[in-house]
Amino acid sequence: MNTKRCFAVILLLFMVLTVMPVTASAAAKASGNCGVDVQWSLDAGVLKISGTGAMANYKNSTYGAAPWYAYRNEITEVVISDGVTNIGAYAFYNCVKLTKVTIGKDVESIGNSAFSACLELKQLTLPNKLKQIDGLAFAVTGLTGIRIPASVEMIDPTAFMNCDNFKSITVDSKNTVYSSDSKGILFN
């Protein structure tokens, strides 16, 4: 009887120890806060920003950089959920493998250098509530063009600086501040 009990305990321990790595790998690789009521999580190259309100602003170095900066070479996709109202300065700076960005419908501003140096970023859609695009927001990216929504009231002149593949800007015809011509040139 003691042999059976001992065998059962060993079998139970073996089962528990083999299940633990599976449950640990199901969790996000890294996560935390990136604003008062805004959180982030990174899993399999996808960085998700969720919650309500504004993201924090960051700097372009390891001192004051975004909390996911150490993983910047692994990030291939960013998903910003509805409820997030701004994209912080330097939020995704130098995420060199970033190819896909989904911006939630509630984002109203994109901070300085938010996507700067994201060399593989070729396209993205700006939300219809967007009002402001700050300096260098998309500088040195792989963007080929962009559609500016009617809601945009301010675009810093350096927002798309050094985008070598940039071909044109299309502005929604209902925008009262900016317009573009048939050649894709931006006017204000």
Side-chain angles (χ1 to χ4, degrees), residues 67-86:
W68 49 84
Y69 189 75
Y71 304 104
R72 70 188 177 281
N73 293 326
E74 300 172 32
I75 298 169
T76 58
E77 181 178 355
V78 169
V79 177
I80 301 166
S81 299
D82 295 346
V84 176
T85 57
N86 88 304

Side-chain angles (χ1 to χ4, degrees), residues 32-36 38-40 47 49 54-69 86-93 111-114:
N33 293 323
C34 57
V36 175
V38 182
Q39 301 78 38
W40 67 278
L47 178 60
I49 309 294
M55 286 179 66
N57 289 311
Y58 300 102
K59 297 180 182 175
N60 67 345
S61 65
T62 52
Y63 177 76
W68 49 84
Y69 189 75
N86 88 304
I87 298 171
Y90 290 95
F92 310 106
Y93 170 77
N112 290 321
S113 298

